[in-house]
Amino acid sequence: MAITQIPAPVEEVIRRMRAIKDELDPRDGVASFNNMYLRVTELVGRQITEGFFKDPEFVERLDVIFAQLYFDAVDAAKRGKPSNPVWKPVFDSRSNRTVWPLQFALAGMNAHINHDLAVAVVETCKERATTPDTKPVHADYLRVNELLAKVEAEIRAEYEPALLELSTRDAEALKHILSSFSITRARDAAWATTEMLWVQRDNALLLELTKRSLEETVSTAGRMLLTPVVPPPK
């Protein structure tokens, strides 16, 4: 069976994610998000060359710009520097062993999708002289939803047996937290943010105010997702 060739720029993104995985303690909260993101990126990379997307070149470039925003947060943490506020909940709580890996994975997706994705789409559109309203751009954005929803469902299913072992009270509390986030809903919201940032792209003051408000909202959601309830099984 032929092996699908992932585009070189996306392969480089995957290589960096694997390097981060090797550097981190598996119990590190950032590692939990990185593992999920790696699975998504590998899936997207394969689909780019298999004709799944209408504009594979756009998706390829978006994948790289999008990932770099996460890498910037990782690099800032390594240097002891502040990262974008949307990432602060994940990096501040990364060593909290009461927080489940699934909580970290979803909190990372909250930061990366609800904030970084809109920024990345706008930057990619500007670089490639297109707009978010161009049909292939939005169509491919929706196709990525299908892939993300698939990975999210797989990861949630992996933790379902452990949730069933918890007391009813703890299980209900944790499920309430986890159900507050959906990748599909987040990407719908991110698309609305993309359109807003695109309209405001030439108004520096208004754009800055919008980004600050977005950062506060996403950060608050991240802290909620990382609320400790009960330690995960060893």
Side-chain angles (χ1 to χ4, degrees):
M1 186 172 69
I3 299 176
T4 301
Q5 182 65 43
I6 295 176
V10 179
E11 187 61 56
E12 179 58 25
V13 168
I14 292 171
R15 184 204 63 78
R16 177 74 197 278
M17 290 180 185
R18 288 173 177 163
I20 292 172
K21 179 179 181 178
D22 291 342
E23 292 171 2
L24 297 178
D25 184 323
R27 298 172 298 171
D28 189 314
V30 177
S32 299
F33 166 72
N34 189 81
N35 291 343
M36 182 179 187
Y37 194 13
L38 175 58
R39 287 167 66 168
V40 171
T41 305
E42 289 172 336
L43 183 56
V44 171
R46 290 194 296 271
Q47 296 292 356
I48 287 174
T49 54
E50 291 182 351
F52 185 72
F53 298 108
K54 294 181 180 297
D55 188 349
E57 290 80 12
F58 183 93
V59 176
E60 177 183 320
R61 185 59 185 149
L62 173 62
D63 190 271
V64 173
I65 292 175
F66 185 37
Q68 187 58 51
L69 295 171
Y70 162 57
F71 296 150
D72 288 345
V74 171
D75 292 340
K78 278 186 177 181
R79 297 193 301 268
K81 302 291 184 181
S83 59
N84 187 289
V86 300
W87 284 102
K88 184 173 172 58
V90 174
F91 284 91
D92 283 356
S93 302
R94 64 192 300 176
S95 61
N96 189 331
R97 303 294 180 247
T98 306
V99 179
W100 284 48
L102 179 57
Q103 289 180 263
F104 280 113
L106 298 183
M109 282 294 179
N110 166 68
H112 206 36
I113 292 174
N114 282 322
H115 176 271
D116 293 355
L117 182 57
V119 173
V121 172
V122 169
E123 289 304 311
T124 307
C125 284
K126 288 164 65 175
E127 182 181 297
R128 294 183 59 82
T130 187
T131 76
D133 293 327
T134 303
K135 286 185 178 179
V137 172
H138 192 213
D140 285 337
Y141 183 95
L142 294 176
R143 284 175 177 262
V144 173
N145 282 0
E146 299 175 32
L147 305 180
L148 283 166
K150 178 178 183 294
V151 173
E152 179 190 22
E154 290 173 353
I155 291 178
R156 285 181 183 270
E158 290 171 7
Y159 285 95
E160 191 62 31
L163 285 170
L164 293 175
E165 295 179 5
L166 298 179
S167 70
T168 301
R169 182 177 179 179
D170 288 339
E172 289 303 314
L174 192 53
K175 286 179 180 178
H176 176 72
I177 292 171
L178 298 176
S179 66
S180 69
F181 180 81
S182 158
I183 286 179
T184 301
R185 291 199 305 268
R187 285 180 64 86
D188 287 344
W191 187 255
T193 302
T194 298
E195 293 181 318
M196 181 167 56
L197 295 180
W198 183 256
V199 170
Q200 298 175 356
R201 66 190 184 282
D202 295 324
N203 187 324
L205 177 58
L206 186 57
L207 188 61
E208 180 63 24
L209 290 173
T210 297
K211 286 185 175 181
R212 287 184 183 179
S213 177
L214 179 64
E215 289 169 0
E216 290 179 7
T217 300
V218 175
S219 296
T220 298
R223 288 192 292 273
M224 188 279 293
L225 282 165
L226 294 169
T227 302
V229 176
V230 60
K234 299 294 186 180

